[in-house]
Amino acid sequence: MNRPQFTYALGCFVSLLALTTPALAMASEAEPASAEPQAENDDQYAIVVTARRREENLQEVPLAISVLNDGALKRENVVDVSDLGGTVPGLVVGNSIGGGRSTPTFAIRGQSQQELSGIADPSVSLYINDIAVPRAQGVNTGFFDIAGIEVAKGPQGTLFGRNTTGGAIIVRTHRPERNFEAYVSQTLGNLDTFATEAMVNVPLGDIGALRIAGQHYQRGGFLKDTILKKDINTINEDAIRASLTLDLSEKLRNETTFQYSSTDNGGTGGYVSYSQNALFAAGLAARANLGFYETESGVPMFAKGNTYHVDNATTFELSDAFTVKNILGYRKMDFHNMEDLDGTQNVLFPVERIVDQHQISNELQLQGDFDSLKFILGGYYFREKGSDQALTAGALAGVGAADPGLIEPSDMTAYFPRYSNTWVGFTNTSYAIFLQGDYNVNDTVSLTAGLRQNWDKRHADIYNRAYIGTVSTTDLSCRFTLDQDANPATPETRPNLAGCHFKGDVSFNELTYNLSLQYKPTDGVMAYVAHRHGYRTGGFGARGNSQATLGNTFEPEKVDDVELGVKADLRMGDTFLRMNLAAFSAKYKDMQRVLIQNPPGSPPVTLTTNAGRARIQGIEFETLFRPVPMFELSGFYTYTDAKFQEYVGPNGDDLSGQVFPRAPKNTYSVTATLIPPMDPAKGEIRLSLTYRHQDAYDYNDDYALEKTLAGTPLPNGVLYNKAQIIEAQRTLSANLDWKEVLGSNFDLAIFGENLTNRRYLLPYMGIASVYETRTPAAPRTVGVRLTAHFK
């Protein structure tokens, strides 16, 4: 039996054992990711995190981590992952290029992913209860009954099971508690916002507890299609989660979570913002007669999907010093969306995407805890399989299509045979062994060291087909040629549709590690220096036009970083000051970047390349200052300096001077909170006001040439690159939170986002030297939330 099969089989056995062992009482564990003052703790400002796979005080972790607990998520009005941008230092969340709001992309410290198919992996990984979520489709559903979110910055090369050269976003749901509790929450707001959330937690005697939570969230749109005469970016989502904790003996605990979510949303929608191409002249002219929140598309856009998630964690205490833990995960996702990426009423570039994916993973850990040494030894296995189809029509797709009039179909096959389908099947397998230890040299100095050996294998099945008039005017044709006679000396030939199938396999492996030294000169102050090496798996370019180009792979991305940090909690009477500062410098080799080429008469080709060398450095600062119990000032500041040092494009162009994408130089947020003194019998009121700023940034890996290889300036290229810049964003928000109103079991919250009703545009689609489209950000939103608690 090989290593991944052994790890998986043993994990299944441990989980099965946990479900069949007689139950006895066991003490409940502390809740993770708490970012609020905890009255029951000795230190009311303690924040418990589990980013290193065990519970620790945030201020003692030699790593830059930002935390939002359930209360902070509500006060920041974070309803889904897209809203995390602007609330966490160093994190930028945006609409994916071509996927819109339904498929968000994450960037931490300038490191991000633009390729969305299953043949590439993200550099910033999303985790739900320690289960990796490698595909962005369908993750932008509502947050509900969340214990906390931890954002770990920089490469996480030892303890996390997937490639994380940029960082990790860890979402932790509430676990069942040993007491009965329930709540029902109703939110109403403008844009016809209507959200209902409910939870019931039931103790099961000595054996454990059951927690069931659910949410319905709907919101009207704010971008109107003047042809369809309706708002197109509506939201309609439902989700339910059941969590079961079983204390099967004094030493054995099993925790299982099942979640199902369903989305039936409108599309993102947008409009053309810049082009010098004659195809877009009419669309640009039409903008003069349309409002900021209006477009004329005529395509019935949508984003629909279903997601199933199961995680199971089994913990068995072998002795006072040793614990075995197994984490088993399963996810299944199907997603279908339609977007009109040209942003005009003409058939230029509508895109329909159909994705299905399922995965299984298992991690087995042995944890040791001695007086001066703690360690974790483990094995990890992950396998996913899926299919990704991207269907396009229109002039930009290189296939043409008769314009059906004002209202266009929401199914690309309606244009048969004049459409193109980039169809990729994928199977990805990853397994690893890892070891990390923490050693306390004395009361003030400690060391952390970790190693992880990674093995990754990627299999691709490519079935790309399109309308090619020179081959057939009545049917689709294979978009690539193959070496059908197995003779490299003869030209490749185009197969028929039955034989239109390219298979590719590639494997990678890498040893990643981290080292850190921590120093505590006094209580409440810790300084550290850390060095980490991480990598991101390579893959295939699935949009080639020949067997030779399809077989070309892009290389793994590797990073080495150094981080210096200080975490300090200072007290004087009732005055409290927290200051966390991190300075980082990361050097990347073969950084993966995505270029979009637009060959005449052919669909746009997305090509993943490797930038030879890049450097990202900067600082992050977070603070919390409470001079008196009734007033609090908090916020953060991030400075990011990202540059390509060596980047040669596929045509030999020197791209090292290109603006680094998704890396705004300065971001900051300031929140002032008033907690007026009042009789505790009447509850507690918190009134907060937040101002956020994010510098302008380039959103696209793609580029337009600004000069020829001979050095001749290309003015149009300069204009196109400037058109890729997303303007600076400045927003003001407010929140009034009254817990236990007048001593009742009701909580009341009144909130507002973008209070100044600032208008700004977000990325939608862009092909350098062809066109740019944008989608407007949400206008002012206000709402009220009433929550009833039952105990």
Side-chain angles (χ1 to χ4, degrees):
M1 181 178 290
N2 62 29
R3 279 171 291 196
Q5 291 175 332
F6 173 77
T7 303
Y8 173 62
L10 184 57
C12 291
F13 172 76
V14 173
S15 296
L16 181 61
L17 176 67
L19 293 171
T20 55
T21 304
L24 294 172
M26 177 179 177
S28 62
E29 65 179 8
E31 178 182 322
S34 174
E36 294 253 296
Q38 302 296 312
E40 68 272 21
N41 294 343
D42 292 337
D43 181 359
Q44 64 170 331
Y45 295 98
I47 300 175
V48 178
V49 296
T50 55
R52 296 203 301 172
R53 302 303 183 90
R54 66 175 185 267
E55 293 180 359
E56 299 176 282
N57 186 331
L58 171 66
Q59 297 302 95
E60 298 178 356
V61 178
L63 177 67
I65 305 175
S66 297
V67 180
L68 294 171
N69 81 332
D70 56 352
L73 290 170
K74 287 182 171 63
R75 285 195 300 274
E76 297 278 1
N77 199 29
V78 176
V79 298
D80 55 36
V81 294
S82 289
D83 294 327
L84 287 173
T87 65
V88 175
L91 174 64
V92 176
V93 183
N95 299 327
S96 66
I97 300 176
R101 180 188 178 279
S102 60
T103 310
T105 58
F106 307 106
I108 294 180
R109 296 179 173 177
Q111 180 58 312
S112 60
Q113 175 204 17
Q114 189 166 311
E115 171 63 61
L116 299 177
S117 72
I119 57 170
D121 287 329
S123 56
V124 176
S125 295
L126 176 69
Y127 291 81
I128 298 179
N129 292 340
D130 293 323
I131 305 302
V133 183
R135 305 300 145 215
Q137 291 89 355
V139 304
N140 205 23
T141 54
F143 285 148
F144 66 100
D145 202 37
I146 299 296
I149 296 176
E150 303 171 22
V151 181
K153 292 90 175 261
Q156 312 295 313
T158 303
L159 295 180
F160 286 90
R162 298 299 290 147
N163 308 300
T164 49
T165 53
I169 302 171
I170 309 154
V171 179
R172 302 201 181 277
T173 62
H174 272 297
R175 296 298 191 182
E177 301 289 342
R178 282 306 191 90
N179 54 284
F180 174 81
E181 61 176 322
Y183 68 78
V184 178
S185 179
Q186 182 64 54
T187 302
L188 300 174
N190 66 331
L191 300 179
D192 295 324
T193 298
F194 183 93
T196 304
E197 181 180 334
M199 182 280 296
V200 59
N201 187 98
V202 181
L204 302 176
D206 292 337
I207 195 172
L210 173 68
R211 189 181 187 101
I212 299 176
Q215 181 192 59
H216 170 73
Y217 176 62
Q218 67 183 55
R219 192 212 68 193
F222 53 83
L223 177 62
K224 182 178 181 179
D225 188 327
T226 58
I227 295 175
L228 298 177
K229 301 186 186 308
K230 67 176 184 179
D231 292 334
I232 56 178
N233 54 346
T234 58
I235 298 176
N236 184 25
E237 301 173 348
D238 294 283
I240 187 169
R241 182 189 307 124
S243 302
L244 176 65
T245 295
L246 296 176
D247 294 329
L248 301 168
S249 76
E250 292 183 353
K251 297 181 179 297
L252 183 62
R253 163 172 284 197
N254 183 269
E255 299 172 309
T256 302
T257 299
F258 169 80
Q259 179 172 321
Y260 167 73
S261 59
S262 174
T263 61
D264 187 7
N265 298 338
T268 301
Y271 43 77
V272 60
S273 59
Y274 182 81
S275 181
Q276 301 173 37
N277 191 299
L279 292 172
F280 290 89
L284 286 169
R287 289 302 310 155
N289 300 317
L290 296 173
F292 186 80
Y293 297 106
E294 289 183 327
T295 186
E296 53 173 22
S297 166
V299 176
M301 296 179 233
F302 61 87
K304 301 179 181 181
N306 299 281
T307 303
Y308 304 84
H309 172 101
V310 181
D311 63 74
N312 177 275
T314 302
T315 306
F316 182 64
E317 295 182 10
L318 296 174
S319 65
D320 291 342
F322 293 102
T323 299
V324 174
K325 185 173 184 178
N326 189 78
I327 304 169
L328 179 66
Y330 173 79
R331 282 181 64 86
K332 184 179 185 300
M333 171 268 292
D334 60 81
F335 180 77
H336 187 188
N337 77 314
M338 178 74 186
E339 295 287 344
D340 186 22
L341 299 180
D342 57 80
T344 73
Q345 62 175 276
N346 299 318
V347 183
L348 299 180
F349 199 38
V351 174
E352 180 182 8
R353 194 152 194 167
I354 305 171
V355 183
D356 63 82
Q357 177 257 11
H358 62 273
Q359 67 182 65
I360 191 166
S361 63
N362 197 84
E363 182 171 314
L364 182 62
Q365 305 172 358
L366 174 64
Q367 301 176 8
D369 190 347
F370 299 91
D371 290 339
S372 59
L373 174 67
K374 295 180 181 179
F375 73 86
I376 177 171
L377 170 68
Y380 178 80
Y381 172 69
F382 171 90
R383 186 177 188 272
E384 68 167 331
K385 187 173 184 179
S387 172
D388 187 326
Q389 299 185 61
L391 300 91
T392 63
L396 286 184
V399 296
D403 196 319
L406 291 179
I407 298 180
E408 301 174 19
S410 58
D411 178 355
M412 290 296 95
T413 60
Y415 291 108
F416 182 85
R418 286 185 171 269
Y419 70 90
S420 168
N421 187 1
T422 301
W423 185 357
V424 180
F426 55 90
T427 302
N428 299 317
T429 306
S430 177
Y431 54 101
I433 54 175
F434 59 90
L435 171 65
Q436 179 162 307
D438 299 279
Y439 177 67
N440 294 327
V441 179
N442 51 44
D443 292 340
T444 60
V445 178
S446 58
L447 300 169
T448 298
L451 290 171
R452 185 185 192 97
Q453 179 61 54
N454 306 269
W455 295 271
D456 293 284
K457 182 178 180 180
R458 196 182 300 283
H459 172 80
D461 292 285
I462 301 173
Y463 309 88
N464 300 350
R465 61 239 3 238
Y467 174 81
I468 305 175
T470 57
V471 179
S472 174
T473 58
T474 59
D475 200 355
L476 299 174
S477 300
C478 191
R479 262 175 53 183
F480 51 79
T481 58
L482 294 175
D483 183 9
Q484 299 190 78
D485 60 2
N487 183 359
T490 60
E492 294 184 8
T493 55
R494 192 179 307 277
N496 58 28
L497 287 180
C500 187
H501 182 194
F502 170 83
K503 291 184 180 181
D505 291 278
V506 65
S507 297
F508 306 96
N509 68 85
E510 184 74 10
L511 179 68
T512 56
Y513 58 85
N514 72 283
L515 300 166
S516 64
L517 171 68
Q518 298 91 255
Y519 174 61
K520 296 181 181 178
T522 184
D523 288 343
V525 179
M526 188 266 287
Y528 67 91
V529 56
H531 168 56
R532 296 165 293 192
H533 174 74
Y535 105 119
R536 175 159 59 134
T537 310
F540 288 96
R543 298 169 180 85
N545 58 6
S546 67
Q547 181 170 323
T549 55
L550 289 171
N552 286 339
T553 58
F554 53 89
E555 295 301 312
E557 175 180 280
K558 301 177 183 180
V559 56
D560 291 281
D561 86 330
V562 175
E563 181 174 302
L564 304 174
V566 176
K567 297 184 177 183
D569 285 356
L570 307 176
R571 297 170 174 83
M572 182 177 293
D574 290 336
T575 299
F576 174 80
L577 174 62
R578 168 167 291 162
M579 296 185 296
N580 291 349
L581 175 66
F584 60 90
S585 178
K587 293 183 178 180
Y588 288 83
K589 180 182 179 182
D590 292 329
M591 177 178 282
Q592 295 168 16
R593 301 287 90 176
V594 175
L595 306 180
I596 303 176
Q597 297 181 332
N598 194 46
S602 300
V605 176
T606 302
L607 176 67
T608 301
T609 64
N610 291 106
R613 293 184 299 115
R615 187 211 64 203
I616 303 176
Q617 59 188 14
I619 59 172
E620 294 169 352
F621 176 71
E622 290 186 87
T623 187
L624 169 65
F625 179 49
R626 184 177 283 186
V628 292
M630 66 176 292
F631 180 73
E632 183 177 286
L633 190 66
S634 60
F636 66 80
Y637 170 74
T638 301
Y639 172 78
T640 304
D641 179 24
K643 295 179 180 179
F644 293 112
Q645 295 176 310
E646 179 184 328
Y647 188 7
V648 178
N651 299 324
D653 306 310
D654 181 5
L655 307 181
S656 58
Q658 181 191 355
V659 177
F660 204 96
R662 295 175 294 280
K665 276 194 177 295
N666 299 281
T667 60
Y668 57 86
S669 173
V670 179
T671 299
T673 301
L674 180 66
I675 311 169
M678 60 187 300
D679 185 351
K682 295 182 180 180
E684 180 188 79
I685 293 177
R686 295 174 64 96
L687 177 62
S688 60
L689 188 67
T690 300
Y691 177 78
R692 302 186 184 99
H693 169 90
Q694 177 177 277
D695 276 1
Y697 67 97
D698 189 316
Y699 79 97
N700 200 339
D701 288 356
D702 204 11
Y703 67 99
L705 284 178
E706 298 188 2
K707 61 181 178 180
T708 66
L709 290 175
T712 304
L714 300 173
N716 288 344
V718 175
L719 294 175
Y720 269 107
N721 289 338
K722 286 184 177 180
Q724 286 189 172
I725 302 299
I726 301 300
E727 65 178 309
Q729 300 172 22
R730 305 175 185 89
T731 59
L732 185 68
S733 62
N735 181 277
L736 171 64
D737 191 13
W738 189 356
K739 293 188 177 299
E740 299 180 351
V741 177
L742 298 176
S744 68
N745 63 331
F746 287 93
D747 295 342
L748 175 68
I750 302 173
F751 56 86
E753 295 288 327
N754 191 15
L755 292 178
T756 59
N757 206 27
R758 182 179 176 85
R759 296 181 172 185
Y760 57 93
L761 295 171
L762 299 175
Y764 189 43
M765 182 61 188
I767 301 177
S769 300
V770 183
Y771 80 109
E772 292 286 331
T773 53
R774 296 287 181 269
T775 185
R780 179 191 299 118
T781 56
V782 295
V784 59
R785 178 172 54 250
L786 184 65
T787 304
H789 294 271
F790 307 94
K791 297 182 179 180

